Amino acid sequence: MATTRTAHTVWEGNLLEGNGVVTFDSSGIGQQPVSWPSRAEQANGRTSPEELIAAAHSSCFSMALSHGLAGAGTPPTRLETKADVTFQPGEGITGIHLTVRGEVPGLDAEGFASAAEDAKKNCPVSQALTGTTITLTAELA
């Protein structure tokens, strides 16, 4: 069964001086302020589209890696994934780097790196972002 998740943004003013609020409708977890300076300069307590993509990508990748490892008979004890999404004003998103550190009993570093590469390639968020260069660093704890 397909699912749809929804968020919406209300923006007021022009790009450089305006600001907005992103509301997470499906989860009800709240609202987050967003502005051009929070995207192109310092966050200063506000989010950005790139931070939201980073959150989506790190969680999706972790789920895909966990599933792949369990399916191979080596379920992880813990996975910690960070996604760094780089935004260059005037160019857009120029790259995403995933860093994962895992505790996986019975698996060597080569097996973990291979499973992580497969998750990077096949997680739904990675597939949705195929126009962006995605790199990966994977290591066991």
Side-chain angles (χ1 to χ4, degrees):
M1 173 190 241
T3 60
T4 300
R5 299 295 183 252
T6 304
H8 76 275
T9 300
V10 175
W11 186 268
E12 297 178 348
N14 66 33
L15 175 63
L16 298 179
E17 297 166 2
N19 61 72
V21 175
V22 178
T23 301
F24 298 90
D25 299 315
S26 297
S27 64
I29 61 172
Q31 299 178 324
Q32 291 295 314
V34 63
S35 68
W36 176 255
S38 71
R39 184 177 196 183
E41 298 166 17
Q42 295 298 316
N44 293 323
R46 295 174 183 260
T47 194
S48 68
E50 291 71 30
E51 183 179 35
L52 298 171
I53 290 170
H57 205 177
S58 66
S59 59
C60 183
F61 171 86
S62 294
M63 289 180 202
L65 180 54
S66 176
H67 180 67
L69 290 167
T74 53
T77 303
R78 176 182 167 88
L79 298 172
E80 184 175 338
T81 304
K82 179 175 78 165
D84 295 307
V85 178
T86 302
F87 174 75
Q88 177 64 48
E91 290 181 48
I93 294 173
T94 58
I96 300 171
H97 185 75
L98 298 169
T99 303
V100 61
R101 185 171 171 89
E103 295 174 15
V104 188
L107 190 64
D108 64 12
E110 184 178 322
F112 183 67
S114 177
E117 281 292 336
D118 186 64
K120 179 189 86 163
K121 177 182 174 187
N122 293 305
C123 95
V125 171
S126 289
Q127 291 178 346
L129 298 170
T130 56
T132 301
T133 300
I134 302 170
T135 56
L136 172 68
T137 301
E139 64 180 39
L140 290 171

